[in-house]
Amino acid sequence: MLRTPLCETLGIDVPVIGAPFGPFEEVEVAAAVCRAGGLGSVGTGGPLPALREQWTRLRQLTDRPFAVNHTMRPFNEEAFQATIEERPAAISFHMSVPADLVARAHEAGILWVQQVQDVREAEQAVRAEADVIVAQGGEAGGHGGEVSTMVLVPQVVDVAGGVPVVAAGGIADGRGLAAALALGAQGVALGTRLLASAEMNISEEWKQRIVASDGRDAVKVTQHDRVLPPFSRPGCHSVPRSLRTPFLDELEEHPERVDPALAGPQLMQAAREGRIHAYLPMAGQSAGLIRDVRPTAEIVRDVVDTAERILHGEVA
């Protein structure tokens, strides 16, 4: 079985992390990643009682390590403190590098997985003593930067020292994992590939749009500030990537026609009701590599097995 030092750091069996998916309930897919030997993740986009219920259910489904994700869009102090009290194996974070929060996690014995979008953030993550750094290329779905994965990963590896680096963005199969290892990373984070998994709790229409995509319709939402919640700390900037929709086209081509006071709350309500795919179905360019909806465990096993065969010269 393919193992790297990342596995020792996180207490996992294979070098795969399941990405968090914002406000979407993903307990089943996170548990499946954990059972397959990787690090599953859950987001903190919902109300605290629902989050606590999710954590309880996840612990019932697996005794393996998992991560709870937090972001700066917006940051929820109540949810963060509850996470500290819950003591998951790791807290993952993106959209800034908050050294004060890293210290709080470490005081509670929790590992810190820091996602970065450029070398500057990677240097900040090293200074903040992050335990793992996820170098997320601009190909990724959801909120991300601009530098491509092929460029960003070796840049981050060069400044990370002994901190394990994980590649994210544009990775959907074992070829991506093999390439990431060749670039100096110790594992990968899967996002869009797991959106199109059997366990993921999003609409089938969203999943089938990913399967049908060739990657060209996964575009940056440059006018996102008009409709998404604000960042809760100054200096945070991250542009989401989504599959195109009539709403997105209108937002990008005629932003003056979209009233933030109306569209923002409507978007959040759609997310809560499972209709966000009609507006902003987040997905990365790796959608162009995804051809089916499969069980999460099969996806993880295939990624690891294919990468291992490539590294042994068994796959052209």
Side-chain angles (χ1 to χ4, degrees):
M1 183 178 293
L2 180 61
R3 288 180 62 85
T4 70
L6 173 74
C7 299
E8 302 301 324
T9 298
L10 295 176
I12 57 180
D13 297 326
V14 296
V16 175
I17 295 176
F21 298 108
F24 308 108
E25 199 270 86
E26 58 178 306
V27 170
E28 297 292 337
V29 68
V33 171
C34 293
R35 290 194 296 265
L39 183 75
S41 302
V42 289
T44 50
L48 186 55
L51 298 181
R52 292 188 187 278
E53 187 277 331
Q54 290 173 23
W55 300 337
T56 297
R57 188 152 47 91
L58 183 52
R59 291 191 186 279
Q60 292 172 342
L61 292 172
T62 179
D63 60 358
R64 305 289 296 171
F66 64 87
V68 175
N69 177 257
H70 291 266
T71 80
M72 281 300 173
R73 187 164 210 173
F75 176 67
N76 185 327
E77 167 60 32
E78 182 183 27
F80 187 83
Q81 180 57 37
T83 303
I84 293 290
E85 296 166 3
E86 180 70 19
R87 284 178 167 74
I91 290 175
S92 63
F93 204 94
H94 64 287
M95 302 183 210
S96 83
V97 184
D100 56 329
L101 301 184
V102 178
R104 285 171 61 185
H106 284 166
E107 288 172 3
I110 302 169
L111 297 171
W112 190 271
V113 179
Q114 178 66 53
Q115 183 168 289
V116 303
Q117 301 169 5
D118 55 37
V119 175
R120 177 186 59 83
E121 285 192 343
E123 292 170 342
Q124 292 175 352
V126 172
R127 290 195 296 270
E129 300 184 349
D131 300 287
V132 175
I133 300 176
V134 178
Q136 184 205 40
E139 303 96 319
H143 288 79
E146 298 177 354
V147 183
S148 73
T149 302
M150 285 289 288
V151 173
L152 181 61
V153 170
Q155 284 183 322
V156 174
V157 169
D158 287 346
V159 302
V163 181
V165 174
V166 173
I171 298 168
D173 55 31
R175 294 172 294 182
L177 173 54
L181 297 178
L183 293 173
Q186 295 185 17
V188 295
L190 300 178
T192 303
R193 172 64 272 199
L194 295 184
L195 277 176
S197 67
E199 293 88 347
M200 188 60 202
N201 188 28
I202 60 173
S203 71
E204 188 62 25
E205 180 182 348
W206 189 348
K207 296 180 185 182
Q208 291 305 319
R209 281 213 57 194
I210 292 171
V211 170
S213 174
D214 64 3
R216 291 180 299 173
D217 57 346
V219 298
K220 285 288 192 179
V221 186
T222 61
Q223 298 293 328
H224 58 99
D225 283 338
R226 296 184 65 82
V227 296
L228 294 177
F231 296 111
S232 52
R233 285 195 178 185
C236 300
H237 183 70
S238 185
V239 180
R241 187 182 292 279
S242 169
L243 298 177
R244 299 181 72 103
T245 64
F247 172 82
L248 175 53
D249 289 342
E250 181 80 357
L251 177 64
E252 293 295 294
E253 296 170 13
H254 302 286
E256 73 283 357
R257 298 179 185 175
V258 178
D259 183 353
L262 296 176
Q266 289 173 351
L267 209 62
M268 294 303 100
Q269 183 65 24
R272 288 189 290 269
E273 296 176 354
R275 299 182 291 105
I276 191 65
H277 60 279
Y279 301 92
L280 292 178
M282 301 293 188
Q285 291 177 331
S286 65
L289 301 173
I290 298 168
R291 297 289 174 263
D292 53 21
V293 175
R294 301 168 60 193
T296 297
E298 286 186 15
I299 293 171
V300 174
R301 284 196 299 267
D302 184 64
V303 166
V304 174
D305 291 347
T306 300
E308 195 163 21
R309 291 198 303 272
I310 290 171
L311 294 172
H312 288 140
E314 299 173 10
V315 176

